Amino acid sequence: MSAPDFSLESLAFSRGALRVAGVDEVGRGPLAGPVTACAVVLDPARIPEGLNDSKRLTARRREALMAEILATADVCVAHAEVAEIDSLNILRASHLAMIRALDGLALRPDHVLVDGNMLPRDLTLPAEAIVKGDGRSLSIAAASIVAKVTRDAIMRDLAQHFPGYGWETNAGYGSKSHMAALQDLGVTPHHRRSFAPIHNILCKDV
């Protein structure tokens, strides 16, 4: 499987862009916790070695790369919380987190590479959706790493306050142990009530 490169960014530069941001999110599928997005504008002269789709990297490698990304790039992480996920739906909440991440960059980008097949509808910057972008674009790969490390840390912290659900290892996804804990311990304020497994449990309790 090929590694991401800088060709999409270079193409944008050749068309007049000066600052190209890569955007990715993590946490659409879990039953608990926020959805987290990251926007990254890499410095072409200081791109960390070994950037790749976060899913292809070990936790230790992700954390080491995140430190390099934060030291060399313009980075912003943003979230959409559980209440927003439940009121908007997960796709719109993911896009809201992406917009917030872009808005939080130190300097406004003039071109955006968004992971996935759909652009956030409120995005006003020139942009393109890149299917499997975290495996194609170094900027999106960097964003995927920072988003993943950040959200995993959030879920580990929440696990300290709500033990028993295994969030420190399952990151809120519906693992067998997580589903068993929901039956035994019930639904927490950090569970997504609009997601079918949680909704169904709550309906049974009515």
PDB file of all heavy atoms in Angstrom, residues 71-100:
ATOM      1  N   ALA A  71       5.246  20.931  16.560  1.00  0.00           N
ATOM      2  CA  ALA A  71       6.442  21.773  16.601  1.00  0.00           C
ATOM      3  C   ALA A  71       6.744  22.444  15.267  1.00  0.00           C
ATOM      4  O   ALA A  71       7.490  23.432  15.226  1.00  0.00           O
ATOM      5  CB  ALA A  71       7.644  20.944  17.040  1.00  0.00           C
ATOM      6  N   THR A  72       6.170  21.933  14.173  1.00  0.00           N
ATOM      7  CA  THR A  72       6.583  22.423  12.853  1.00  0.00           C
ATOM      8  C   THR A  72       5.441  22.966  12.001  1.00  0.00           C
ATOM      9  O   THR A  72       5.697  23.577  10.960  1.00  0.00           O
ATOM     10  CB  THR A  72       7.264  21.292  12.056  1.00  0.00           C
ATOM     11  OG1 THR A  72       6.349  20.182  11.930  1.00  0.00           O
ATOM     12  CG2 THR A  72       8.540  20.818  12.741  1.00  0.00           C
ATOM     13  N   ALA A  73       4.190  22.766  12.414  1.00  0.00           N
ATOM     14  CA  ALA A  73       3.050  23.101  11.558  1.00  0.00           C
ATOM     15  C   ALA A  73       2.065  23.996  12.301  1.00  0.00           C
ATOM     16  O   ALA A  73       2.126  24.157  13.526  1.00  0.00           O
ATOM     17  CB  ALA A  73       2.345  21.823  11.099  1.00  0.00           C
ATOM     18  N   ASP A  74       1.152  24.599  11.545  1.00  0.00           N
ATOM     19  CA  ASP A  74       0.008  25.317  12.109  1.00  0.00           C
ATOM     20  C   ASP A  74      -1.095  24.291  12.314  1.00  0.00           C
ATOM     21  O   ASP A  74      -1.557  23.658  11.339  1.00  0.00           O
ATOM     22  CB  ASP A  74      -0.430  26.420  11.137  1.00  0.00           C
ATOM     23  CG  ASP A  74      -1.551  27.299  11.689  1.00  0.00           C
ATOM     24  OD1 ASP A  74      -1.969  27.098  12.843  1.00  0.00           O
ATOM     25  OD2 ASP A  74      -2.011  28.181  10.934  1.00  0.00           O
ATOM     26  N   VAL A  75      -1.506  24.084  13.549  1.00  0.00           N
ATOM     27  CA  VAL A  75      -2.415  22.990  13.899  1.00  0.00           C
ATOM     28  C   VAL A  75      -3.543  23.505  14.781  1.00  0.00           C
ATOM     29  O   VAL A  75      -3.321  24.308  15.685  1.00  0.00           O
ATOM     30  CB  VAL A  75      -1.661  21.872  14.659  1.00  0.00           C
ATOM     31  CG1 VAL A  75      -2.611  20.717  14.996  1.00  0.00           C
ATOM     32  CG2 VAL A  75      -0.465  21.376  13.862  1.00  0.00           C
ATOM     33  N   CYS A  76      -4.750  23.029  14.528  1.00  0.00           N
ATOM     34  CA  CYS A  76      -5.861  23.284  15.442  1.00  0.00           C
ATOM     35  C   CYS A  76      -6.724  22.035  15.549  1.00  0.00           C
ATOM     36  O   CYS A  76      -7.054  21.417  14.528  1.00  0.00           O
ATOM     37  CB  CYS A  76      -6.713  24.466  14.987  1.00  0.00           C
ATOM     38  SG  CYS A  76      -8.068  24.835  16.151  1.00  0.00           S
ATOM     39  N   VAL A  77      -7.073  21.678  16.773  1.00  0.00           N
ATOM     40  CA  VAL A  77      -7.982  20.562  17.047  1.00  0.00           C
ATOM     41  C   VAL A  77      -9.287  21.133  17.588  1.00  0.00           C
ATOM     42  O   VAL A  77      -9.283  22.068  18.385  1.00  0.00           O
ATOM     43  CB  VAL A  77      -7.379  19.589  18.074  1.00  0.00           C
ATOM     44  CG1 VAL A  77      -8.357  18.455  18.386  1.00  0.00           C
ATOM     45  CG2 VAL A  77      -6.065  19.023  17.573  1.00  0.00           C
ATOM     46  N   ALA A  78     -10.402  20.575  17.145  1.00  0.00           N
ATOM     47  CA  ALA A  78     -11.714  21.027  17.613  1.00  0.00           C
ATOM     48  C   ALA A  78     -12.639  19.820  17.724  1.00  0.00           C
ATOM     49  O   ALA A  78     -12.353  18.752  17.180  1.00  0.00           O
ATOM     50  CB  ALA A  78     -12.297  22.074  16.670  1.00  0.00           C
ATOM     51  N   HIS A  79     -13.744  20.019  18.418  1.00  0.00           N
ATOM     52  CA  HIS A  79     -14.656  18.918  18.702  1.00  0.00           C
ATOM     53  C   HIS A  79     -16.104  19.325  18.463  1.00  0.00           C
ATOM     54  O   HIS A  79     -16.436  20.512  18.468  1.00  0.00           O
ATOM     55  CB  HIS A  79     -14.526  18.476  20.170  1.00  0.00           C
ATOM     56  CG  HIS A  79     -13.130  18.335  20.643  1.00  0.00           C
ATOM     57  ND1 HIS A  79     -12.382  17.198  20.434  1.00  0.00           N
ATOM     58  CD2 HIS A  79     -12.308  19.209  21.293  1.00  0.00           C
ATOM     59  CE1 HIS A  79     -11.177  17.372  20.945  1.00  0.00           C
ATOM     60  NE2 HIS A  79     -11.106  18.579  21.469  1.00  0.00           N
ATOM     61  N   ALA A  80     -16.939  18.340  18.274  1.00  0.00           N
ATOM     62  CA  ALA A  80     -18.381  18.494  18.442  1.00  0.00           C
ATOM     63  C   ALA A  80     -18.765  17.530  19.551  1.00  0.00           C
ATOM     64  O   ALA A  80     -18.400  16.346  19.517  1.00  0.00           O
ATOM     65  CB  ALA A  80     -19.140  18.185  17.161  1.00  0.00           C
ATOM     66  N   GLU A  81     -19.451  18.055  20.548  1.00  0.00           N
ATOM     67  CA  GLU A  81     -19.751  17.267  21.731  1.00  0.00           C
ATOM     68  C   GLU A  81     -20.974  16.379  21.512  1.00  0.00           C
ATOM     69  O   GLU A  81     -21.688  16.492  20.517  1.00  0.00           O
ATOM     70  CB  GLU A  81     -19.957  18.202  22.929  1.00  0.00           C
ATOM     71  CG  GLU A  81     -18.771  19.107  23.230  1.00  0.00           C
ATOM     72  CD  GLU A  81     -17.495  18.340  23.560  1.00  0.00           C
ATOM     73  OE1 GLU A  81     -17.598  17.172  24.023  1.00  0.00           O
ATOM     74  OE2 GLU A  81     -16.404  18.889  23.366  1.00  0.00           O
ATOM     75  N   VAL A  82     -21.214  15.507  22.492  1.00  0.00           N
ATOM     76  CA  VAL A  82     -22.284  14.518  22.369  1.00  0.00           C
ATOM     77  C   VAL A  82     -23.637  15.184  22.121  1.00  0.00           C
ATOM     78  O   VAL A  82     -24.426  14.726  21.283  1.00  0.00           O
ATOM     79  CB  VAL A  82     -22.317  13.620  23.623  1.00  0.00           C
ATOM     80  CG1 VAL A  82     -23.599  12.803  23.682  1.00  0.00           C
ATOM     81  CG2 VAL A  82     -21.109  12.681  23.623  1.00  0.00           C
ATOM     82  N   ALA A  83     -23.924  16.273  22.835  1.00  0.00           N
ATOM     83  CA  ALA A  83     -25.221  16.948  22.650  1.00  0.00           C
ATOM     84  C   ALA A  83     -25.367  17.452  21.222  1.00  0.00           C
ATOM     85  O   ALA A  83     -26.475  17.418  20.652  1.00  0.00           O
ATOM     86  CB  ALA A  83     -25.360  18.097  23.637  1.00  0.00           C
ATOM     87  N   GLU A  84     -24.273  17.915  20.631  1.00  0.00           N
ATOM     88  CA  GLU A  84     -24.316  18.395  19.248  1.00  0.00           C
ATOM     89  C   GLU A  84     -24.490  17.231  18.273  1.00  0.00           C
ATOM     90  O   GLU A  84     -25.213  17.346  17.279  1.00  0.00           O
ATOM     91  CB  GLU A  84     -23.050  19.182  18.940  1.00  0.00           C
ATOM     92  CG  GLU A  84     -22.953  20.476  19.738  1.00  0.00           C
ATOM     93  CD  GLU A  84     -21.632  21.185  19.583  1.00  0.00           C
ATOM     94  OE1 GLU A  84     -20.579  20.523  19.672  1.00  0.00           O
ATOM     95  OE2 GLU A  84     -21.637  22.414  19.384  1.00  0.00           O
ATOM     96  N   ILE A  85     -23.834  16.133  18.553  1.00  0.00           N
ATOM     97  CA  ILE A  85     -23.996  14.933  17.718  1.00  0.00           C
ATOM     98  C   ILE A  85     -25.455  14.493  17.720  1.00  0.00           C
ATOM     99  O   ILE A  85     -26.040  14.180  16.675  1.00  0.00           O
ATOM    100  CB  ILE A  85     -23.078  13.799  18.218  1.00  0.00           C
ATOM    101  CG1 ILE A  85     -21.602  14.167  18.004  1.00  0.00           C
ATOM    102  CG2 ILE A  85     -23.411  12.477  17.520  1.00  0.00           C
ATOM    103  CD1 ILE A  85     -20.630  13.245  18.708  1.00  0.00           C
ATOM    104  N   ASP A  86     -26.053  14.478  18.913  1.00  0.00           N
ATOM    105  CA  ASP A  86     -27.442  14.020  19.033  1.00  0.00           C
ATOM    106  C   ASP A  86     -28.434  14.980  18.394  1.00  0.00           C
ATOM    107  O   ASP A  86     -29.479  14.560  17.893  1.00  0.00           O
ATOM    108  CB  ASP A  86     -27.792  13.803  20.509  1.00  0.00           C
ATOM    109  CG  ASP A  86     -27.154  12.551  21.088  1.00  0.00           C
ATOM    110  OD1 ASP A  86     -26.763  11.662  20.299  1.00  0.00           O
ATOM    111  OD2 ASP A  86     -27.026  12.467  22.323  1.00  0.00           O
ATOM    112  N   SER A  87     -28.125  16.277  18.397  1.00  0.00           N
ATOM    113  CA  SER A  87     -29.077  17.242  17.838  1.00  0.00           C
ATOM    114  C   SER A  87     -28.889  17.436  16.338  1.00  0.00           C
ATOM    115  O   SER A  87     -29.857  17.683  15.613  1.00  0.00           O
ATOM    116  CB  SER A  87     -28.955  18.586  18.553  1.00  0.00           C
ATOM    117  OG  SER A  87     -27.684  19.174  18.312  1.00  0.00           O
ATOM    118  N   LEU A  88     -27.663  17.296  15.851  1.00  0.00           N
ATOM    119  CA  LEU A  88     -27.383  17.584  14.439  1.00  0.00           C
ATOM    120  C   LEU A  88     -27.369  16.332  13.562  1.00  0.00           C
ATOM    121  O   LEU A  88     -27.722  16.392  12.398  1.00  0.00           O
ATOM    122  CB  LEU A  88     -26.015  18.262  14.310  1.00  0.00           C
ATOM    123  CG  LEU A  88     -25.854  19.638  14.936  1.00  0.00           C
ATOM    124  CD1 LEU A  88     -24.396  20.077  14.858  1.00  0.00           C
ATOM    125  CD2 LEU A  88     -26.745  20.646  14.233  1.00  0.00           C
ATOM    126  N   ASN A  89     -26.914  15.234  14.048  1.00  0.00           N
ATOM    127  CA  ASN A  89     -26.543  13.943  13.463  1.00  0.00           C
ATOM    128  C   ASN A  89     -25.026  13.911  13.319  1.00  0.00           C
ATOM    129  O   ASN A  89     -24.356  14.953  13.305  1.00  0.00           O
ATOM    130  CB  ASN A  89     -27.289  13.581  12.163  1.00  0.00           C
ATOM    131  CG  ASN A  89     -26.814  14.327  10.933  1.00  0.00           C
ATOM    132  OD1 ASN A  89     -25.607  14.488  10.686  1.00  0.00           O
ATOM    133  ND2 ASN A  89     -27.761  14.798  10.115  1.00  0.00           N
ATOM    134  N   ILE A  90     -24.473  12.720  13.227  1.00  0.00           N
ATOM    135  CA  ILE A  90     -23.017  12.562  13.319  1.00  0.00           C
ATOM    136  C   ILE A  90     -22.294  13.178  12.124  1.00  0.00           C
ATOM    137  O   ILE A  90     -21.206  13.746  12.278  1.00  0.00           O
ATOM    138  CB  ILE A  90     -22.625  11.070  13.507  1.00  0.00           C
ATOM    139  CG1 ILE A  90     -21.117  10.926  13.733  1.00  0.00           C
ATOM    140  CG2 ILE A  90     -23.112  10.234  12.350  1.00  0.00           C
ATOM    141  CD1 ILE A  90     -20.586  11.678  14.947  1.00  0.00           C
ATOM    142  N   LEU A  91     -22.867  13.110  10.930  1.00  0.00           N
ATOM    143  CA  LEU A  91     -22.188  13.701   9.771  1.00  0.00           C
ATOM    144  C   LEU A  91     -22.071  15.211   9.924  1.00  0.00           C
ATOM    145  O   LEU A  91     -20.982  15.777   9.766  1.00  0.00           O
ATOM    146  CB  LEU A  91     -22.947  13.361   8.488  1.00  0.00           C
ATOM    147  CG  LEU A  91     -22.378  13.997   7.210  1.00  0.00           C
ATOM    148  CD1 LEU A  91     -20.952  13.531   6.957  1.00  0.00           C
ATOM    149  CD2 LEU A  91     -23.275  13.684   6.018  1.00  0.00           C
ATOM    150  N   ARG A  92     -23.176  15.871  10.250  1.00  0.00           N
ATOM    151  CA  ARG A  92     -23.140  17.333  10.389  1.00  0.00           C
ATOM    152  C   ARG A  92     -22.268  17.747  11.569  1.00  0.00           C
ATOM    153  O   ARG A  92     -21.585  18.772  11.521  1.00  0.00           O
ATOM    154  CB  ARG A  92     -24.550  17.886  10.540  1.00  0.00           C
ATOM    155  CG  ARG A  92     -25.363  17.823   9.253  1.00  0.00           C
ATOM    156  CD  ARG A  92     -26.642  18.618   9.377  1.00  0.00           C
ATOM    157  NE  ARG A  92     -26.372  20.035   9.623  1.00  0.00           N
ATOM    158  CZ  ARG A  92     -27.251  20.882  10.144  1.00  0.00           C
ATOM    159  NH1 ARG A  92     -28.465  20.462  10.481  1.00  0.00           N
ATOM    160  NH2 ARG A  92     -26.937  22.149  10.340  1.00  0.00           N
ATOM    161  N   ALA A  93     -22.281  16.964  12.644  1.00  0.00           N
ATOM    162  CA  ALA A  93     -21.427  17.270  13.788  1.00  0.00           C
ATOM    163  C   ALA A  93     -19.955  17.130  13.412  1.00  0.00           C
ATOM    164  O   ALA A  93     -19.114  17.951  13.830  1.00  0.00           O
ATOM    165  CB  ALA A  93     -21.772  16.365  14.962  1.00  0.00           C
ATOM    166  N   SER A  94     -19.628  16.112  12.623  1.00  0.00           N
ATOM    167  CA  SER A  94     -18.245  15.942  12.150  1.00  0.00           C
ATOM    168  C   SER A  94     -17.816  17.145  11.322  1.00  0.00           C
ATOM    169  O   SER A  94     -16.695  17.658  11.468  1.00  0.00           O
ATOM    170  CB  SER A  94     -18.130  14.676  11.311  1.00  0.00           C
ATOM    171  OG  SER A  94     -18.440  13.527  12.057  1.00  0.00           O
ATOM    172  N   HIS A  95     -18.707  17.593  10.450  1.00  0.00           N
ATOM    173  CA  HIS A  95     -18.393  18.751   9.615  1.00  0.00           C
ATOM    174  C   HIS A  95     -18.268  20.020  10.456  1.00  0.00           C
ATOM    175  O   HIS A  95     -17.415  20.872  10.170  1.00  0.00           O
ATOM    176  CB  HIS A  95     -19.464  18.920   8.540  1.00  0.00           C
ATOM    177  CG  HIS A  95     -19.368  17.895   7.460  1.00  0.00           C
ATOM    178  ND1 HIS A  95     -20.324  17.756   6.470  1.00  0.00           N
ATOM    179  CD2 HIS A  95     -18.427  16.950   7.194  1.00  0.00           C
ATOM    180  CE1 HIS A  95     -19.963  16.784   5.653  1.00  0.00           C
ATOM    181  NE2 HIS A  95     -18.826  16.281   6.082  1.00  0.00           N
ATOM    182  N   LEU A  96     -19.082  20.146  11.499  1.00  0.00           N
ATOM    183  CA  LEU A  96     -18.971  21.287  12.398  1.00  0.00           C
ATOM    184  C   LEU A  96     -17.605  21.301  13.078  1.00  0.00           C
ATOM    185  O   LEU A  96     -16.963  22.367  13.183  1.00  0.00           O
ATOM    186  CB  LEU A  96     -20.083  21.228  13.445  1.00  0.00           C
ATOM    187  CG  LEU A  96     -20.050  22.302  14.543  1.00  0.00           C
ATOM    188  CD1 LEU A  96     -20.190  23.695  13.948  1.00  0.00           C
ATOM    189  CD2 LEU A  96     -21.154  22.031  15.568  1.00  0.00           C
ATOM    190  N   ALA A  97     -17.144  20.146  13.532  1.00  0.00           N
ATOM    191  CA  ALA A  97     -15.820  20.066  14.150  1.00  0.00           C
ATOM    192  C   ALA A  97     -14.722  20.451  13.160  1.00  0.00           C
ATOM    193  O   ALA A  97     -13.755  21.138  13.525  1.00  0.00           O
ATOM    194  CB  ALA A  97     -15.583  18.658  14.699  1.00  0.00           C
ATOM    195  N   MET A  98     -14.868  20.035  11.905  1.00  0.00           N
ATOM    196  CA  MET A  98     -13.891  20.404  10.880  1.00  0.00           C
ATOM    197  C   MET A  98     -13.844  21.920  10.672  1.00  0.00           C
ATOM    198  O   MET A  98     -12.758  22.515  10.581  1.00  0.00           O
ATOM    199  CB  MET A  98     -14.229  19.711   9.562  1.00  0.00           C
ATOM    200  CG  MET A  98     -13.973  18.222   9.532  1.00  0.00           C
ATOM    201  SD  MET A  98     -14.412  17.535   7.892  1.00  0.00           S
ATOM    202  CE  MET A  98     -13.812  15.848   8.082  1.00  0.00           C
ATOM    203  N   ILE A  99     -15.017  22.543  10.576  1.00  0.00           N
ATOM    204  CA  ILE A  99     -15.082  23.993  10.397  1.00  0.00           C
ATOM    205  C   ILE A  99     -14.423  24.697  11.579  1.00  0.00           C
ATOM    206  O   ILE A  99     -13.654  25.665  11.416  1.00  0.00           O
ATOM    207  CB  ILE A  99     -16.544  24.463  10.250  1.00  0.00           C
ATOM    208  CG1 ILE A  99     -17.175  23.896   8.972  1.00  0.00           C
ATOM    209  CG2 ILE A  99     -16.639  25.989  10.281  1.00  0.00           C
ATOM    210  CD1 ILE A  99     -16.621  24.468   7.693  1.00  0.00           C
ATOM    211  N   ARG A 100     -14.698  24.214  12.788  1.00  0.00           N
ATOM    212  CA  ARG A 100     -14.092  24.809  13.980  1.00  0.00           C
ATOM    213  C   ARG A 100     -12.569  24.675  13.953  1.00  0.00           C
ATOM    214  O   ARG A 100     -11.848  25.609  14.349  1.00  0.00           O
ATOM    215  CB  ARG A 100     -14.659  24.139  15.233  1.00  0.00           C
ATOM    216  CG  ARG A 100     -16.089  24.536  15.547  1.00  0.00           C
ATOM    217  CD  ARG A 100     -16.672  23.700  16.674  1.00  0.00           C
ATOM    218  NE  ARG A 100     -17.976  24.222  17.082  1.00  0.00           N
ATOM    219  CZ  ARG A 100     -18.840  23.553  17.849  1.00  0.00           C
ATOM    220  NH1 ARG A 100     -18.528  22.334  18.279  1.00  0.00           N
ATOM    221  NH2 ARG A 100     -20.001  24.106  18.178  1.00  0.00           N
TER     222      ARG A 100
END
